[in-house]
Amino acid sequence: MSAPDPTGGRPVDPSRGTLRPLGLAEAHVTGGFWADRQRVNGEATLDHARTWMEKVGWIGNFALGDAAGPVERRGREFSDSEVYKLVEAMAWETGRRPDPARTREIDDLVATIGAAQEPDGYLNTAFGRPGQQPRYSDLASGHELYCAGHLLQAAVAHTRIHGPGELLRIARGVADQVCATFGPAGNPGICGHPEIETALVELFRLTGERRYLDQAALFVDRRGHQSLPPHQFGWSYYSDDIPVRSATVLRGHAVRALYLACGAVDVAVETGDDDLLRAVAGQFDRTLARRTYLTGGMGSRYADEAFGDDFVLPADRAYSESCAGVAAVMLAWRLLLATGEDRYADVIERILYNVIATAVDDDGRAFFYAHSLHQRTPTRALPEDEEQLGFGGGPRAPWFEVSCCLPNVARLLASLGTYLAAADGDGLRVLQYADARIDTRLADGRRVVLAVSTGYPDSGTVTVRVDATDGGAWPLTLRVPAWARGATVEVDGVSRPAPEGRLTVRRDFAAGDEIRLHLPMAPRFTFPDPRIDAVRGCVAIERGPVVYCAESTRDEPVGDLDLVRVDPGRVPHDDDAGRVAVWAHLATPVPRAWPYGEAAATADETRLAPVRLLPYHRWARRGPATMRVWLPTTTDAR
Amino acid sequence: MSAPDPTGGRPVDPSRGTLRPLGLAEAHVTGGFWADRQRVNGEATLDHARTWMEKVGWIGNFALGDAAGPVERRGREFSDSEVYKLVEAMAWETGRRPDPARTREIDDLVATIGAAQEPDGYLNTAFGRPGQQPRYSDLASGHELYCAGHLLQAAVAHTRIHGPGELLRIARGVADQVCATFGPAGNPGICGHPEIETALVELFRLTGERRYLDQAALFVDRRGHQSLPPHQFGWSYYSDDIPVRSATVLRGHAVRALYLACGAVDVAVETGDDDLLRAVAGQFDRTLARRTYLTGGMGSRYADEAFGDDFVLPADRAYSESCAGVAAVMLAWRLLLATGEDRYADVIERILYNVIATAVDDDGRAFFYAHSLHQRTPTRALPEDEEQLGFGGGPRAPWFEVSCCLPNVARLLASLGTYLAAADGDGLRVLQYADARIDTRLADGRRVVLAVSTGYPDSGTVTVRVDATDGGAWPLTLRVPAWARGATVEVDGVSRPAPEGRLTVRRDFAAGDEIRLHLPMAPRFTFPDPRIDAVRGCVAIERGPVVYCAESTRDEPVGDLDLVRVDPGRVPHDDDAGRVAVWAHLATPVPRAWPYGEAAATADETRLAPVRLLPYHRWARRGPATMRVWLPTTTDAR
């Protein structure tokens, strides 16, 4: 650990598991959908976030310790963590694309942060200074250990990219102070917001210091015993209602639950605790089956930013926080590495295209915090420099009083290369499809270089070419998404049906060898489980991994989207202009003074016409808009 | 104003309007559904609330001003108002049923409250004392004028029942201080929570002091200009987004919006401002048509206790706060008195039977704050002495950190007599059906005594007998609820169809004359407007004014209510045991790892069986329970 990781580093580096992740120097997105977004992230979002964090005082908070007397700290109690997430995002960005100026910027930020560290390692700008509450006096909502966790993650990223330095020294001081305070014989508390758990495991993976892993395991075991104070939303709000091993589903505050689950998987993997791994996998599986939006978004309640009961998934009040999307990718990735099960890669793809890609505006300077699947009243026009106080509705806002999502999405986009492929036994698995260059070594040390070229997700054809290989047989595996019914694979000019889940070609590859995957990209209807009351009698349209929506704007009005009735007997199609469309009636409701009566206010279906759709991730980019993902069908009419 | 009101007093006493309300001495519930609830309210709830308010320190706060140094006040910033609402409820109760002990209790409470009044009239235990924020330093969320409003309402009630006394003196001091501070040349602010407006108008009606009315009008006019600070939920949260005259619908925090509307109607009526009256009536009408639950409940969002967009009415996350029910009755009553339009009496009936009657436990010692229309997971068993921190789910709780609803429902129940009937031109209108005695004078001074006898709402037969009359013709009008299709009326043994809305019999009545109304009480299906996504493809069952629900308990399990599929071709019926029942299939969902797919997970409909229903107001009284008001139909199956 005396030099940068030659493979470029990766966010998650488990010592065991079915798959081994690649580092950012081994896997590059070279073009297409995600390359555009990575470019905007690096060129605009990071500076945008830095500028706002200066403006709202969150960076300045670190310098306030020098002042005599009570300090006038700005921002919410967890604002330190946003600065740390930004440093992490910048670190991954310099791993993806070396940039000396950015590296110096990080060093300056690290110096600013480090100046606020106390001699015993403690570091938090909201507690312990004159006029502030004492350290660890409000574990339930103070977010001190949460902030520490994000500092550790930033340090892990920076160290893997640039080698050990000042940030790692700071982080180890913080981690050591945490272990000294909250160890087996110390303060038996836990943080109201999990995050420290997964961070401590990663710091253990980086440094080999076993006590970090032990402390993480202790935090995981301590949770679920109602040791935090009663909360107005119940102990489930901070996953303190049921021990991690006993729970059957994720519940309460979605980001809290997902971060905790990540930490639990990390602990399980490093300690060989398969019971714990199975417990968390089971919770996530049930969450996917009953508490997840079509977009992969999680969290259906605004009041507590929480999972609802099973099948409570309102489209018009979907919360689906961007941070929960990031956290769900983190959890699915950990479970994918641990188990190798393809469906976790499917989940990652779904969240990336439908939550993460939706979150960021084209210019990288405005963001969704919450992701509604149904906008009934037109989105507002929002001034460029206006901080948003609330979370709801569109359009994307440049900044939020609680701006956790913005640097969270930024760190994910900067490190996206790591999700493209993974080493698999003695071979390699391609997991996500994008123009990409993969240059890595197999388990036995042989070098393999792949070039992936595709128009994905517009096109379903993916060509994986071997550009270099050291010779000898090895297996190359491509994911076949579960939605891709009828996929075919072409090897040596011979086409055959692709199996479900994944296809493996084992051979003595030569440079120039190609495998071509054809994924069917016809738009398709998707129906909901009948227990999801909120979208009963509705249908959605998907195309490949992308969820579509109907949007009505000034320039392309569709009329009142709440009156559209899709004819489920006519499949969605690509229209003359290459746009996805569905045939629909525009219903005319009978005006009523009371909206309940002896018979449904039967709609006069006045005309059948095609309604153009667009990818959900493209919505709210064309001025004030209404929008629906789930479209009522004519089946509902009585 | 030197003596008690001989008619017993009423909460709303407008100087103009189509109907004139009766006082509590003129209209008594003598038996049946509401008599039981009034008895429990008087015998249990008032003492229960008093005991809790002592225990949690809200009454003690009034005595803290005597202490030297900073005071340790308990409870939320608006807790004074709960004490005032309790005093108001106790005052109406002593009007309904004289009780010297209760009257002395009120006097003691008034003495306690009065001791906290400052020499200039200001009275609030949360502001202005040593260590507290200055007066009126946080109009947005400090609730000072809101608390003052409830004090005024308590004083109005007490004075109308008992004549002028100490409480009126205190209240006039408060009102005068408010007028002096917030008058035309003073502080231009408004309170974040409306309530002072309607209270000032009522104090004007009681005292004749014009400046109270002028101040109320000023507060109404000032609102809607975004003069309060930006709120995370938007200015609409406190109805400060759009001027009252310009708005088209109620929006934002439901109780705030409804109280403001009450105040605006009061101002409009007293100042002859018909434009303002029409504006508010239009807002309420649109709210009823698009933003109201089948129960009459209002407010569909937990996060901000707010109205949602049009047609956003989720059953499983219905907020429908009890206080919003009380406030909607208040508004409907004001509009009914002003306009005489029958549908407002229908709304009052709907809210009384389905929100107010649902809110209170049988013993009068536990309450719903929020009214879900769909309980997916069984309600908890709640300890009798446990204060509830949150608002959600059942069962009813004995106390809440925010216990606004409890004394609010209590004051409504104690004053319920006033809603039974009203003077109408030269006659009398019976508005709500209960065993009742009405003893009043017509506009020309003639005495009329009516006895109403009925088994309502179990039975639909209502007999109105004239027990005394001074002779000469006068019109007696009975409301015909809009739901009562096929109602008939029997006069002198002759039966004929009842007209829609109301029926009037004008004659020279003699003692013993009877009019008998027959309202059809067969259970009926009710279908929702197709724009209410949350209940698409579902049906509800109503019987008379009562909404029914399916409930599954340990002793009477129905199975998974979310799998019940009602056959809309078979009308609901009374079963052998006299219970309402519907024919339904119990669907079996196909287990799926992902709840969205090519076709709906088609239900195997295994058996057709009757499902017993019970009045919604009876739910959550038989141990842990799941519940649905809206039942999916077989029509939805694909």
Side-chain angles (χ1 to χ4, degrees):
Chain A
M1 204 202 56
S2 58
D5 186 327
T7 65
R10 67 225 72 192
V12 184
D13 198 5
S15 65
R16 301 188 314 135
T18 305
L19 300 183
R20 284 176 299 108
L22 304 190
L24 292 191
E26 299 178 296
H28 283 278
V29 181
T30 55
F33 190 95
W34 291 110
D36 292 344
R37 281 155 183 81
Q38 286 196 308
R39 181 179 51 71
V40 168
N41 188 56
E43 291 178 1
T45 302
L46 297 180
D47 291 340
H48 172 85
R50 167 75 195 258
T51 303
W52 268 97
M53 288 190 196
E54 296 280 5
K55 177 175 162 181
V56 294
W58 300 353
I59 292 173
N61 287 339
F62 288 95
L64 292 174
D66 304 334
V71 293
E72 287 206 36
R73 191 182 169 282
R74 294 170 65 190
R76 294 286 299 271
E77 66 278 12
F78 41 73
S79 69
D80 291 0
S81 71
E82 316 308 358
V83 180
Y84 303 148
K85 275 189 290 191
L86 177 60
V87 170
E88 183 188 341
M90 288 176 168
W92 295 129
E93 181 65 13
T94 55
R96 186 182 79 82
R97 192 177 56 85
D99 178 349
R102 183 73 75 196
T103 303
R104 282 193 300 277
E105 184 184 7
I106 297 173
D107 290 344
D108 289 347
L109 281 169
V110 168
T112 302
I113 292 165
Q117 190 166 33
E118 306 288 340
D120 67 348
Y122 180 87
L123 173 45
N124 191 292
T125 70
F127 287 84
R129 303 185 192 182
Q132 295 181 331
Q133 291 186 71
R135 291 179 187 180
Y136 306 127
S137 57
D138 181 15
L139 286 174
S141 55
H143 288 75
E144 284 164 281
L145 294 170
Y146 168 85
C147 289
H150 277 301
L151 175 62
L152 270 47
Q153 291 190 316
V156 167
H158 190 263
T159 307
R160 287 188 177 143
I161 300 296
H162 297 288
E166 179 63 8
L167 186 53
L168 181 61
R169 193 197 58 72
I170 296 169
R172 291 193 64 151
V174 166
D176 291 343
Q177 200 275 337
V178 167
C179 291
T181 307
F182 292 91
N187 182 333
I190 53 174
C191 185
H193 199 315
E195 155 62 39
I196 186 75
E197 299 81 1
T198 189
L200 280 167
V201 175
E202 214 58 47
L203 189 65
F204 155 73
R205 287 167 173 166
L206 179 75
T207 63
E209 285 285 1
R210 174 83 197 188
R211 70 176 178 283
Y212 300 150
L213 174 61
D214 292 342
Q215 185 65 47
L218 199 54
F219 280 139
V220 169
D221 279 342
R222 279 179 186 163
R223 193 167 290 266
H225 301 282
Q226 310 185 4
S227 69
L228 288 166
H231 193 281
Q232 65 160 319
F233 298 125
W235 274 289
S236 63
Y237 176 73
Y238 22 51
S239 295
D240 196 29
D241 52 339
I242 303 171
V244 179
R245 284 165 206 284
S246 314
T248 58
V249 68
L250 300 180
R251 66 231 171 270
H253 188 277
V255 179
R256 282 170 165 79
L258 287 159
Y259 280 177
L260 176 65
C262 287
V265 171
D266 292 336
V267 166
V269 165
E270 296 304 328
T271 60
D273 187 340
D274 289 342
D275 285 346
L276 181 58
L277 180 63
R278 263 193 301 274
V280 179
Q283 291 161 32
F284 193 51
D285 290 349
R286 181 168 169 141
T287 301
L288 290 171
R290 296 175 173 231
R291 300 186 172 192
T292 302
Y293 284 100
L294 180 62
T295 54
M298 296 185 188
S300 54
R301 289 156 55 146
Y302 267 70
D304 42 358
E305 310 188 300
F307 289 104
D309 286 338
D310 286 352
F311 304 114
V312 180
L313 294 160
D316 49 23
R317 288 286 283 172
Y319 194 66
S320 181
E321 186 183 338
S322 297
C323 277
V326 174
V329 168
M330 290 167 57
L331 179 56
W333 181 238
R334 283 159 172 77
L335 290 169
L336 175 57
L337 294 177
T339 68
E341 291 184 26
D342 308 289
R343 63 206 165 90
Y344 295 123
D346 285 0
V347 169
I348 291 172
E349 174 179 70
R350 182 174 291 276
I351 299 170
L352 288 177
Y353 281 104
N354 301 297
V355 178
I356 304 304
T358 310
V360 189
D361 213 347
D362 289 343
D363 68 359
R365 298 175 193 279
F367 303 82
F368 276 130
Y369 190 110
H371 292 257
S372 180
L373 273 67
H374 181 184
Q375 181 76 28
R376 290 177 184 263
T377 54
T379 51
R380 295 168 302 138
L382 201 74
E384 262 186 31
D385 59 347
E386 190 183 293
E387 181 181 31
Q388 191 162 316
L389 293 174
F391 313 128
R396 297 164 187 84
W399 200 250
F400 297 87
E401 190 187 8
V402 178
S403 268
C404 44
C405 297
L406 199 159
N408 219 350
V409 170
R411 67 180 180 146
L412 174 60
L413 287 174
S415 59
L416 201 66
T418 199
Y419 300 99
L420 293 174
D424 169 22
D426 56 347
L428 196 63
R429 265 205 226 176
V430 182
L431 297 166
Q432 302 296 338
Y433 297 122
D435 285 349
R437 179 178 165 83
I438 291 161
D439 183 349
T440 186
R441 290 182 185 278
L442 303 178
D444 60 12
R446 282 179 293 164
R447 182 174 177 224
V448 169
V449 181
L450 301 182
V452 183
S453 55
T454 179
Y456 200 79
D458 289 338
S459 148
T461 301
V462 180
T463 303
V464 179
R465 189 182 69 228
V466 177
D467 268 4
T469 174
D470 283 347
W474 57 275
L476 175 58
T477 301
L478 308 189
R479 179 175 65 98
V480 180
W483 54 259
R485 302 281 175 92
T488 59
V489 60
E490 199 182 319
V491 185
D492 302 330
V494 177
S495 184
R496 59 183 168 86
E500 284 184 20
R502 59 180 178 259
L503 72 94
T504 300
V505 178
R506 171 184 280 273
R507 61 156 64 174
D508 187 351
F509 286 103
D513 280 0
E514 285 188 352
I515 300 175
R516 190 163 292 135
L517 189 62
H518 294 284
L519 303 172
M521 281 290 174
R524 64 189 188 274
F525 277 139
T526 298
F527 296 91
D529 187 291
R531 284 165 293 182
I532 306 176
D533 282 277
V535 295
R536 184 185 309 288
C538 292
V539 68
I541 291 88
E542 297 183 280
R543 182 178 177 281
V546 176
V547 174
Y548 276 64
C549 67
E551 184 182 55
S552 186
T553 64
R554 202 189 49 187
D555 292 341
E556 194 175 317
V558 181
D560 186 342
L561 291 179
D562 296 329
L563 300 177
V564 165
R565 296 290 176 272
V566 167
D567 181 347
R570 297 165 183 251
V571 295
H573 57 284
D574 290 307
D575 70 9
D576 296 343
R579 296 264 306 266
V580 173
V582 285
W583 288 96
H585 295 266
L586 202 65
T588 307
V590 178
R592 294 202 296 195
W594 179 244
Y596 311 100
E598 286 179 15
T602 313
D604 294 326
E605 282 153 11
T606 47
R607 60 187 173 87
L608 183 68
V611 173
R612 285 181 163 183
L613 306 175
L614 74 166
Y616 173 67
H617 63 75
R618 296 297 310 158
W619 95 274
R621 298 179 196 268
R622 305 183 296 167
T626 57
M627 181 274 296
R628 283 193 80 118
V629 167
W630 290 101
L631 302 174
T633 65
T634 49
T635 311
D636 172 55
R638 265 174 300 272
Chain B
M1 204 202 56
S2 58
D5 186 327
T7 65
R10 67 224 75 193
V12 185
D13 198 4
S15 65
R16 300 188 315 136
T18 306
L19 300 183
R20 284 176 299 106
L22 304 190
L24 293 192
E26 299 177 296
H28 283 278
V29 181
T30 54
F33 190 96
W34 291 110
D36 292 345
R37 283 155 182 80
Q38 287 196 308
R39 181 181 49 73
V40 168
N41 187 56
E43 291 178 2
T45 302
L46 297 180
D47 291 339
H48 172 85
R50 167 75 196 257
T51 303
W52 268 97
M53 288 190 197
E54 297 280 5
K55 176 175 163 181
V56 295
W58 300 352
I59 292 173
N61 287 339
F62 288 95
L64 292 173
D66 305 332
V71 293
E72 287 205 37
R73 191 184 170 280
R74 293 170 65 191
R76 293 287 298 271
E77 66 278 12
F78 41 73
S79 69
D80 290 1
S81 72
E82 316 308 357
V83 180
Y84 302 149
K85 275 189 290 191
L86 177 59
V87 171
E88 183 188 341
M90 288 177 167
W92 295 131
E93 180 64 13
T94 55
R96 188 182 78 82
R97 193 177 55 87
D99 177 349
R102 183 73 76 194
T103 303
R104 281 193 301 277
E105 183 184 8
I106 297 173
D107 291 343
D108 289 346
L109 280 168
V110 168
T112 301
I113 292 165
Q117 189 166 33
E118 306 288 340
D120 67 349
Y122 180 87
L123 173 45
N124 190 294
T125 70
F127 288 84
R129 302 185 193 182
Q132 295 182 330
Q133 292 186 70
R135 291 179 186 181
Y136 307 127
S137 57
D138 181 15
L139 286 174
S141 55
H143 288 75
E144 284 164 281
L145 293 170
Y146 167 86
C147 288
H150 278 301
L151 175 61
L152 269 48
Q153 290 189 317
V156 167
H158 190 261
T159 306
R160 287 188 177 144
I161 299 296
H162 297 288
E166 179 65 8
L167 185 53
L168 181 61
R169 193 197 59 72
I170 296 168
R172 292 194 64 152
V174 166
D176 291 342
Q177 200 275 337
V178 167
C179 292
T181 306
F182 292 92
N187 182 333
I190 52 174
C191 185
H193 199 316
E195 156 62 38
I196 187 76
E197 298 82 0
T198 191
L200 281 168
V201 176
E202 214 58 46
L203 189 64
F204 155 73
R205 288 167 173 166
L206 179 75
T207 63
E209 285 285 1
R210 174 83 196 188
R211 69 176 177 284
Y212 300 149
L213 174 61
D214 293 341
Q215 185 65 48
L218 199 55
F219 280 139
V220 169
D221 280 341
R222 280 178 187 165
R223 192 168 290 266
H225 302 282
Q226 310 186 4
S227 68
L228 288 166
H231 193 281
Q232 66 160 319
F233 298 125
W235 273 290
S236 63
Y237 175 73
Y238 24 50
S239 296
D240 196 29
D241 52 339
I242 303 170
V244 178
R245 282 166 207 284
S246 315
T248 58
V249 69
L250 300 181
R251 65 230 172 269
H253 188 276
V255 179
R256 280 170 166 79
L258 287 159
Y259 280 177
L260 175 65
C262 288
V265 171
D266 291 337
V267 167
V269 165
E270 296 305 329
T271 61
D273 188 340
D274 289 342
D275 286 346
L276 181 59
L277 180 63
R278 263 192 301 275
V280 178
Q283 292 161 31
F284 193 51
D285 289 348
R286 181 168 169 138
T287 301
L288 290 171
R290 296 175 173 231
R291 301 187 171 191
T292 302
Y293 283 100
L294 179 63
T295 54
M298 295 186 188
S300 54
R301 291 156 53 146
Y302 268 71
D304 41 359
E305 309 188 302
F307 288 105
D309 285 338
D310 285 352
F311 304 114
V312 180
L313 294 160
D316 48 24
R317 288 285 283 173
Y319 194 66
S320 181
E321 185 184 339
S322 297
C323 277
V326 174
V329 168
M330 289 167 58
L331 179 57
W333 181 238
R334 282 158 173 78
L335 290 169
L336 175 58
L337 294 177
T339 68
E341 292 184 24
D342 308 289
R343 62 207 165 90
Y344 296 122
D346 285 0
V347 169
I348 291 171
E349 174 179 70
R350 182 173 291 275
I351 298 170
L352 288 176
Y353 282 104
N354 301 297
V355 178
I356 304 304
T358 310
V360 190
D361 213 348
D362 289 344
D363 68 0
R365 298 175 193 278
F367 303 82
F368 276 130
Y369 190 110
H371 292 258
S372 180
L373 273 68
H374 181 184
Q375 181 76 28
R376 289 178 185 263
T377 54
T379 51
R380 296 167 301 138
L382 201 75
E384 260 186 35
D385 58 348
E386 190 182 293
E387 182 181 27
Q388 191 162 317
L389 293 175
F391 314 129
R396 297 165 187 84
W399 200 251
F400 297 86
E401 188 188 9
V402 178
S403 268
C404 45
C405 297
L406 199 159
N408 219 351
V409 170
R411 67 180 180 146
L412 174 60
L413 286 174
S415 60
L416 200 67
T418 199
Y419 301 98
L420 291 173
D424 168 21
D426 58 345
L428 197 62
R429 266 206 228 176
V430 181
L431 299 166
Q432 303 295 339
Y433 297 123
D435 284 349
R437 178 178 166 84
I438 292 161
D439 183 347
T440 185
R441 290 182 184 278
L442 303 178
D444 61 10
R446 282 179 294 165
R447 183 174 177 223
V448 169
V449 181
L450 299 182
V452 183
S453 56
T454 179
Y456 200 80
D458 290 336
S459 147
T461 301
V462 180
T463 303
V464 180
R465 189 182 69 228
V466 177
D467 268 6
T469 174
D470 282 349
W474 57 275
L476 175 59
T477 301
L478 307 189
R479 178 174 66 98
V480 181
W483 55 258
R485 302 280 175 93
T488 58
V489 60
E490 200 182 318
V491 186
D492 301 332
V494 178
S495 183
R496 58 183 169 88
E500 284 184 20
R502 60 179 178 260
L503 73 92
T504 299
V505 178
R506 172 184 278 275
R507 61 156 66 175
D508 186 350
F509 286 103
D513 280 358
E514 284 187 354
I515 301 176
R516 190 164 291 135
L517 188 62
H518 295 284
L519 303 172
M521 282 291 175
R524 62 189 188 274
F525 278 139
T526 299
F527 296 91
D529 187 291
R531 286 166 292 184
I532 306 176
D533 282 277
V535 294
R536 185 185 309 289
C538 292
V539 67
I541 290 86
E542 297 183 281
R543 183 178 177 280
V546 176
V547 174
Y548 276 65
C549 67
E551 184 182 55
S552 186
T553 63
R554 201 189 51 187
D555 292 341
E556 195 174 317
V558 181
D560 186 343
L561 290 179
D562 296 330
L563 300 177
V564 165
R565 297 290 175 271
V566 167
D567 182 346
R570 297 164 182 253
V571 295
H573 56 283
D574 290 306
D575 70 8
D576 296 344
R579 295 266 304 268
V580 173
V582 285
W583 288 96
H585 296 266
L586 202 64
T588 307
V590 178
R592 293 202 297 194
W594 179 244
Y596 311 100
E598 286 180 15
T602 313
D604 295 326
E605 282 155 10
T606 47
R607 61 187 173 85
L608 183 68
V611 174
R612 285 182 164 183
L613 306 175
L614 74 166
Y616 173 67
H617 64 74
R618 295 299 309 159
W619 95 274
R621 297 178 196 268
R622 304 183 296 167
T626 57
M627 181 274 294
R628 283 192 79 118
V629 167
W630 290 102
L631 302 174
T633 66
T634 48
T635 311
D636 173 55
R638 266 174 299 272

